[in-house]
Amino acid sequence: MVTGDASATAAIVARAVGLDGAVCPPGPIGDSVKPEQFAVFAGVLPEDKYKLVKAFQAGGHNVAMCGDGANDAPALRQAQMGIAVSTATDVAKSAAGIVLTEPGLGGIVAAVKEGRMTFQRILTYTLSSVNQKRSCRCFSWRLVSSSPDTRS
């Protein structure tokens, strides 16, 4: 969890959502800090949010970023899933891939579910199309190879 909020607030929220682990001290995050070292990054500056998104991605993680201000825009744009809350600035909304239209973060769960269903439909359609084309080609090849030679 990465937040610009104070460490004490971040620790309470982290416990509430089931994150256990060390809290990174507030302030600038050095280049030697690895994302896996901490469960919570609190008091994070906007430019460090972007660096953390890049660091998590470099470690092979898919990253979702939720933000509301113009200072969150670079990290929102970089993340695989940039989410702007309903009260976000226009800059944050344009940088995000998803814009929540209702207050709160409940829309994130709905968006993820909808995205998974859409992906499943696309995958099913693609596999069905490939399978049909293979069957059709196989059938056509059998017709051609089993037809009598009419050349005389």
Side-chain angles (χ1 to χ4, degrees), residues 1 9 17 53 94 97 107-108 111 134 139:
M1 182 175 94
T9 304
V17 298
V53 168
S94 67
I108 295 172
R134 289 180 70 197
F139 181 70

Side-chain angles (χ1 to χ4, degrees), residues 1-11 14 19 21-30 32-45 48-49 51-53 55-56:
M1 182 175 94
V2 179
T3 180
D5 293 334
S7 297
T9 304
L19 284 175
V23 178
C24 182
I29 297 173
S32 63
V33 174
K34 304 278 187 241
E36 294 81 16
Q37 290 176 308
F38 301 99
V40 178
F41 293 85
V44 178
L45 302 172
D48 287 333
K49 290 178 186 177
K51 284 178 19 183
L52 281 170
V53 168
F56 274 109

Side-chain angles (χ1 to χ4, degrees), residues 40-116:
V40 178
F41 293 85
V44 178
L45 302 172
E47 58 271 12
D48 287 333
K49 290 178 186 177
Y50 177 79
K51 284 178 19 183
L52 281 170
V53 168
K54 294 280 284 181
F56 274 109
Q57 289 172 332
H61 299 281
N62 289 323
V63 179
M65 165 71 185
C66 187
D68 63 352
N71 57 359
D72 292 327
L76 288 169
R77 175 69 68 190
Q78 179 63 36
Q80 281 92 343
M81 181 189 269
I83 305 163
V85 297
S86 60
T87 58
T89 63
D90 289 341
V91 173
K93 287 179 180 179
S94 67
I98 297 173
V99 178
L100 301 178
T101 57
E102 297 177 4
L105 302 176
I108 295 172
V109 175
V112 169
K113 284 182 182 178
E114 190 69 30
R116 287 179 178 168

Side-chain angles (χ1 to χ4, degrees), residues 120-139:
Q120 188 61 48
R121 287 183 189 136
I122 292 169
L123 182 62
T124 301
Y125 174 79
T126 302
L127 292 176
S128 294
S129 295
V130 168
N131 196 27
Q132 269 186 331
K133 287 179 183 176
R134 289 180 70 197
S135 296
C136 191
R137 282 189 182 147
C138 185
F139 181 70

